[in-house]
Structure formats: structure tokens, C-alpha cells
Amino acid sequence: MHSTVAAPPVLTAVAVAKSYGPTVALAGVSLQIAAAESVAVMGASGSGKTTLLHCLAGIIEPDAGAVTLAGPQGALRVDTLGPEGRSRLRRQHYGFVFQQGLLLPELTALENVALPLLLDGVDRHRAEAEAAHWLAQLGLTGMEERRPGQLSGGQHQRVAVARAQVGSPSVVFADEPTGALDSRTSEQVVTALLQTTTGAGRSLVVVTHDQRVAAVCDRVLELSDGLIVNEHVNRRRAA
Amino acid sequence: MRTATRLTGLMLRRSTDANRASLALPVVAFAVVTALTLTVLGGARFFFTIEGPTAPLYQSLAALAVTLLLIPLLTLCGSAARLSARRRDQHLSTLRLLGAPTRTITTMTVLESTVLAAAGTLLGVLGHLALAPLLGLLTFHGERLGAGHILLGVSGTLLCLVGLILMASVSALVGLRGVVVSPLGVRTRQSAPRLSWARAVAVVAALGAGMLAAQALRIDQGTLSIVVGLAVSFGLTMAVLNLVGPWVLGVVARRQVRRAGGRFTAERLLAARTVLDNPRAAWRQVSGVALTSFVAVFAGVGLAFTNVLAAGGSTPEDDLLLADLRTGIALTLVISFVTVAASVAVNQGADILERRELFTSLERIGMPLDGMDRARRLAVLSPLRVVALGSAAAAALLVLPLTGTVLLTDPLSLGTIAALLAAGIAVVWVALRATSPLLARVVADA
């Protein structure tokens, strides 16, 4: 199945394939993600969800196929970039939220959020001001100096959401962002994630097992054995 | 006991690739410690067989060299034990959560530490046997040492091995407290540990006491008194430096974090926060250089001293003594540099493996490998500068009352000190570079 959208795509994958030894993780996936669109990727464990996300995000190189990002300077072939180019791409065009947040335990919440900007050579004062703004947007005022170990699960994920937004990325990738949270906190985190991405004109690709998360996304793709086997547009979101 | 033995065996057999690497590191560290400890003790024993009027002087110098070398070797032994304990933390925390009794966990800790330490010490004995013929080629007191004089002997070797293995087990048990008290606490870092300013007061007091002792010894200008004075001052100051070092590193790192400005890059922030997160660990990585800096000052002054003696018209016996002094200083330095290199490489290797998740996270958000490597190197090199210069300054303060400013400011002395400080920093830099491929592998596997 080839997944398409009507609006101009910001991210396009064509026949993306990836294997790990004899195990086929992706068997030729094609899809398009539109600007300001939220897409949930679902499927059983081992269906290839995370591998797809990693290929789209330039974390790993696909064995075959093409991934293209419609960047501000024109189309950019993600799959042909070298390690340095992929690092730059992730730093400048993408944002990430993972199940465990993957915040750096040594840094404070403010520093964790400011880190992508510092990596891009932004002045410390500006980076921290921007980080403080995003923490405030996510209701984390007063938490700036706390370290990840001093935050609750929900706060931890909201810091990760703030970090994903701070560089004004085109696409935000989230891998089971609510996997370790209770239902109420999950709802808060997903709301924050949607408001800060699609609400601000950015695209969101979220890998999830959680039907409630999928229900609030514009589109749901279902993967099985490395292929998209089902796709549906959420009526409420489409309206 | 049977459950603990079976579980320990299972965990050792079922190690993943990364775990195998973290198993190998403590074994290598124990091997280096054992080989060098046996060689240092064996070599020192030779000087206690010398007879004649210069024998007490040789024996005092040998005791001084042993003191200089054993402290960092035992520190490395402690690091090796901690490495093996850290490897177990996660497994033991999980077992604790599953309801394993304290006795099982304690037995598993002791067993695994003992097995790793025993494997390392056995390899170390082979290293000692390989080193003995090489060092046996050195000439002391007019005669070639010979491998037989370096080998420690069966009883001495056994005693040494038992001591090192015991030390490993005790260190592992001490490190276990976190697991036994709080199964979830081991991997939860909640706040950066703060170290008391009282440590700074302790170092000033000890330096003062050391200087007074050195001043008192100066009344009797005998060479033996100077050697004893140096040994006492050294031992005291090294102990206090170990107390105050982490605190100083924490203060410097905190200032670096607070310092604003355009030059404050992500690498610098990460490096400073890494030090601040665990100043004791940062200190352990560079504490070996505190020793080489100390030895650098002693060596510089010692060489200037031997030059002065030689210029004053010397007898053949004096010439022999001076040649032996130079050989002894060079040997002590080489061994301390090897210890420093091993310590940095082992600690860095373990650090990379332990912080795998952190590097994965940095990789995901787009930090280039070079940047991660630079941050890691900065986290060692920045404290290193503080340690090298601080220790050299402390050593100069202690040596000053014994030798006066003339010897300390002698061009030969200053040149030797500068060259050795540079060599110490270079050794650490090379050891850091040597672990870069491991970081690349960890990031590639992420």
C-alpha cells in the first residue's frame, strides 16, 4: 500500500527497505507526510514501526528506497546523506520525543531544552531564553533548574517535547511518547505535543501502541511485517 | 550460596558484547595493577639487600619510590573494583526488586568481584614475569639488577594477590550499599552531589603542617632527613589532595557552568556538567596526574640537586649514587606514567559503556561524533589542568623549605618540571584518544 496526502508533502518515502541480517524490518514502504499533519504509525511489536521512524528521521540508513524532505532550501534526500549530514539534518530540521525522553541526566531541564540550539552554535543567552519560553509554553515554569531525575514522568516528557520544538523543526518524530505514562498524563503530553507541532504548522510522526494517541492524529498508518497494510484518516480530524 | 553461585555463573556466561567489554575492563585494570605492584615491590626489595654506608639512603629512597607508586596503583585497583561493581548494579537492582534476599546479593557481589579480580591478578602475574627480565637489565649500585632481584617470590606474590583480591571484594561490598538499601536508587540520579568546603580547610591545614615539618627537618641537613621529610610530606599531601581534589573540581565546574558568553558551547556545557555530576569520578580519572605532577617537582629538584653535588667534586661512590638516583627517578616516572595511562583508558572505557544512553540521546538530536568526543575529552582535560598545576604548586610549597628557592628555580629543575607536566598531560591525551574508537562503536550501535 502507498500512503499519500492531498496537501504538498513535507516528507516523502518511496519504497524504503531495511533488513537486519535475515530479518526484514521494512519491505518497501512508501508514504507522504503533509505540512502541519499528524500521522500515527501503529502495528504489533516487530512490525517495523521504529525502523520506519528511524529511516525517515535519518537515524539509520535504509538499504533501498528514497526519503526526501522538502526543506526551506529545496528538496533534500535524507537517505543519501552521510553521518555528518544526517546529524545536521536532525539538528536543524527535526525534533524528537522518545518513550524515555532520553534527556541528559547531568543537565538541568533548561539546559536539556537549550542543547539543540547550543549544538547549532546559538549564543547561550539566546538559547536559554528560547528554552525558557518553551518550558513556560508547556507549563513547566519553575522547573528550569531541575534535573531529569527530579521530574515526574509527565514533566520529563514535556521537557522532551519542549526540546523537540526549540529549534523550530519541520517535522517532529515521537516514538511511544506516552508509553511509560498513566492515561491522564498521556493525554496532557499528547495535547502538548499536538499543540506545539501541528498547531504551529509543523508535522508530527508518532509511533504508538496507544489507540487514544492514534485517535487524535490526522491519519493512522498500520504496519505489519514491514509494510503499510492499512491507512485511515480520522473523520473528526479531517473535518 | 548455591543460588548465588548459579546466578553469578549465569550472568557471567550470558553477557552481551557490550557487557563482555565491561567485564574485560576490570580484568585488564587488575592485571596492570598486579603486574606493576609486584614489580615495584620486587624491585624495592633489592635495595634492602644492599650493605654498606649508603644502604640506609638507598632503602629510604626505595621506600619513597614505593610510596609514590603504590598510592596510584591502589587507587587504580579501587577503580577496577568499582568498574566491576557498576556492571552489576542493574542486574542486582532487578534481582532486589524481584525479592532476592540481601545474602544472595551480597554473595553474588563478592563472587563476581573475586572472579574478575582473580582473573586479572593471574594475568598480572604473567605480566610481572614478562617485565622482570626487562627491568633486570637496569644497573643499580654498580651491578645489574637481574630478573631474580625483580621477582617477588612465591610467598610475597601470594600475599600480594590475596591483598588485591580482598581489596576488590571490600570495594565491591561498599559499592553495593546503594543496591541493598534502595533497589531503585542505583540508577536514579536526583541531584548533583555537593562536596564540603571543609575539605579546602583540611588541605590548607595539612599543607601548613607539611611545610612546618619540612622546615623542622631542614635544621638537620642530612640527605636521609631530606628523603624522610619528602616521604612524609608527600604521603600527607597526597592523602589530603585526594580529599580536597573532588571539591576543587566541583567548584571549578560550577563556575564554568555559570559563566556566560559566546564561547560557551554545547561541548563545554556537557563537559562541565559531567564533572559537576560526579566530581569524585572526575577526580579519580585524573588523580594519577596529581602524582606525576608531584613526582615532576621532586624529579626536577632531585636532578638539580644531583648536578650541584656532581659540580662540587665527587668521589666514584658519589658518582655511583648520582647515577642510581637518576635511574630511580626515571623508572619511577615511567611506572607512574603507565599507571596514569592505564587508569585513564580503563576509566574512560567504562564511562563510555556506562553512558551509552547519553551518547545515543546526543546522537539522536544531531550532535556529531566529533562533538561528543570533544565534550568527553574536555571533561577530563579541563580538570586535568587544575590537578596538574595545583599538585605541582603544592609539591613546590612542600619542597621549598627543604631545598630553598635556588634548587627549585634552577633552570634544570624548572625545565624538567615543565617537560614532565607536559608529558603527563600528553599521556592522558593519548589514553583519551585511544578510547575514541570505542565511543564511535557505541554510537554506531545505538
Side-chain angles (χ1 to χ4, degrees):
Chain A
M1 184 177 280
H2 186 282
S3 160
T4 55
V5 287
V10 69
L11 193 63
T12 308
V14 178
V16 173
K18 180 77 185 175
S19 297
Y20 297 102
T23 309
V24 178
L26 291 178
V29 171
S30 297
L31 59 82
Q32 292 182 335
I33 312 283
E37 185 191 23
S38 55
V39 176
V41 182
M42 298 192 80
S45 294
S47 59
K49 304 183 300 288
T50 298
T51 303
L52 174 63
L53 184 136
H54 285 182
C55 285
L56 296 176
I59 291 170
I60 55 172
E61 232 176 308
D63 298 335
V67 177
T68 309
L69 172 77
Q73 276 93 40
L76 185 67
R77 277 288 294 275
V78 176
D79 56 291
T80 57
L81 294 171
E84 282 298 314
R86 292 208 303 271
S87 286
R88 200 176 314 113
L89 170 87
R90 293 198 296 274
R91 219 162 51 226
Q92 296 176 344
H93 298 290
Y94 290 163
F96 296 94
V97 182
F98 296 95
Q99 182 172 358
Q100 305 296 339
L102 285 183
L103 298 180
L104 307 195
E106 291 90 345
L107 305 188
T108 62
L110 185 76
E111 289 164 349
N112 262 295
V113 177
L115 191 60
L117 296 178
L118 288 171
L119 283 173
D120 228 13
V122 174
D123 167 78
R124 184 187 185 185
H125 289 305
R126 236 188 78 207
E128 291 192 346
E130 188 72 11
H133 162 76
W134 275 107
L135 285 175
Q137 288 280 304
L138 286 148
L140 293 165
T141 305
M143 304 281 172
E144 293 87 351
E145 291 309 310
R146 295 211 184 168
R147 286 147 50 93
Q150 296 170 307
L151 298 170
S152 69
Q155 289 167 341
H156 196 274
Q157 283 307 74
R158 277 186 285 153
V159 172
V161 171
R163 186 177 69 178
Q165 310 298 345
V166 77
S168 304
S170 310
V171 186
V172 171
F173 295 95
D175 191 355
E176 300 284 6
T178 59
L181 304 175
D182 61 71
S183 57
R184 193 160 162 262
T185 315
S186 290
E187 202 182 308
Q188 288 171 354
V189 169
V190 171
T191 305
L193 194 54
L194 281 168
Q195 275 173 359
T196 54
T197 51
T198 54
R202 292 167 193 149
S203 307
L204 171 70
V205 180
V206 54
V207 163
T208 185
H209 276 108
D210 191 338
Q211 290 289 351
R212 285 166 304 181
V213 174
V216 295
C217 289
D218 297 324
R219 204 152 45 105
V220 182
L221 306 177
E222 200 180 315
L223 252 71
S224 178
D225 296 329
L227 286 168
I228 297 176
V229 292
N230 195 11
E231 175 187 358
H232 72 268
V233 176
N234 281 326
R235 199 175 302 158
R236 186 174 59 81
R237 302 287 304 172
Chain B
M1 179 76 182
R2 242 177 67 192
T3 312
T5 312
R6 219 180 293 151
L7 280 171
T8 306
L10 179 72
M11 284 184 181
L12 286 172
R13 281 196 309 276
R14 291 281 182 264
S15 291
T16 60
D17 278 354
N19 272 346
R20 265 192 285 277
S22 57
L23 269 177
L25 284 169
V27 173
V28 170
F30 278 119
V32 172
V33 169
T34 308
L36 292 179
T37 305
L38 293 178
T39 307
V40 166
L41 290 177
R45 212 182 41 152
F46 163 77
F47 296 100
F48 289 87
T49 61
I50 292 174
E51 287 176 356
T54 52
L57 177 62
Y58 274 99
Q59 285 151 15
S60 305
L61 287 169
L64 175 62
V66 168
T67 315
L68 285 168
L69 294 169
L70 278 191
I71 293 175
L73 280 171
L74 294 180
T75 306
L76 177 55
C77 180
S79 294
R82 269 186 296 275
L83 293 185
S84 60
R86 274 193 301 201
R87 200 194 82 83
R88 282 186 308 267
D89 277 357
Q90 205 170 359
H91 294 150
L92 296 184
S93 293
T94 307
L95 287 174
R96 187 76 179 144
L97 276 170
L98 292 173
T102 305
R103 206 179 52 190
T104 305
I105 290 190
T106 310
T107 313
M108 284 178 72
T109 303
V110 175
L111 272 176
E112 196 180 304
S113 291
T114 310
V115 168
L116 295 181
T121 49
L122 287 178
L123 281 175
V125 173
L126 296 178
H128 172 55
L129 292 174
L131 278 175
L134 278 176
L135 292 176
L137 298 174
L138 291 172
T139 303
F140 271 109
H141 208 244
E143 56 179 296
R144 186 152 283 182
L145 269 177
H149 278 122
I150 303 284
L151 291 171
L152 193 56
V154 177
S155 54
T157 303
L158 282 176
L159 204 67
C160 206
L161 296 194
V162 170
L164 288 172
I165 292 170
L166 260 179
M167 197 176 156
S169 306
V170 170
S171 296
L173 275 175
V174 170
L176 185 66
R177 279 181 309 183
V179 180
V180 174
V181 172
S182 157
L184 294 173
V186 172
R187 293 180 61 75
T188 309
R189 278 183 277 186
Q190 295 190 329
S191 58
R194 283 185 170 251
L195 295 161
S196 165
W197 55 268
R199 287 168 183 254
V201 175
V203 83
V204 172
L207 272 175
M211 284 181 74
L212 283 176
Q215 190 69 46
L217 281 164
R218 201 175 175 232
I219 296 164
D220 175 4
Q221 286 272 353
T223 315
L224 187 59
S225 303
I226 289 178
V227 172
V228 172
L230 288 175
V232 169
S233 306
F234 172 80
L236 196 65
T237 314
M238 280 308 285
V240 177
L241 275 178
N242 269 318
L243 267 180
V244 81
W247 178 78
V248 172
L249 294 187
V251 169
V252 172
R254 200 166 294 123
R255 281 188 55 192
Q256 285 173 340
V257 167
R258 283 182 190 152
R259 196 178 57 203
R263 284 179 65 241
F264 200 88
T265 58
E267 287 92 340
R268 282 173 192 273
L269 172 66
L270 275 173
R273 279 290 183 195
T274 303
V275 174
L276 205 50
D277 191 49
N278 195 345
R280 286 190 189 94
W283 170 257
R284 274 196 297 273
Q285 300 233 15
V286 293
S287 62
V289 174
L291 167 92
T292 53
S293 305
F294 237 83
V295 177
V297 173
F298 282 34
V301 175
L303 285 179
F305 182 58
T306 57
N307 256 19
V308 170
L309 286 182
S314 56
T315 62
E317 274 214 338
D318 288 341
D319 289 339
L320 195 66
L321 178 65
L322 295 180
D324 287 351
L325 270 175
R326 288 189 188 111
T327 311
I329 289 170
L331 188 61
T332 308
L333 280 167
V334 168
I335 296 175
S336 56
F337 281 149
V338 171
T339 311
V340 168
S343 182
V344 171
V346 164
N347 276 304
Q348 275 298 307
D351 202 50
I352 290 170
L353 292 170
E354 197 191 38
R355 305 205 306 158
R356 203 178 285 126
E357 273 183 21
L358 176 134
F359 293 119
T360 303
S361 178
L362 290 171
E363 206 267 338
R364 295 279 196 272
I365 63 169
M367 187 170 199
L369 179 62
D370 274 356
M372 288 182 228
D373 209 17
R374 209 173 306 125
R376 183 180 70 91
R377 289 201 305 270
L378 266 176
V380 177
L381 292 174
S382 177
L384 181 71
R385 278 197 295 269
V386 178
V387 170
L389 295 176
S391 306
L397 268 176
L398 289 170
V399 165
L400 199 62
L402 287 167
T403 60
T405 47
V406 179
L407 275 182
L408 190 62
T409 55
D410 184 279
L412 176 65
S413 178
L414 289 178
T416 308
I417 293 169
L420 291 176
L421 284 182
I425 291 171
V427 162
V428 173
W429 190 84
V430 168
L432 279 170
R433 279 285 181 185
T435 50
S436 293
L438 180 64
L439 175 66
R441 212 182 95 191
V442 161
V443 170
D445 291 347

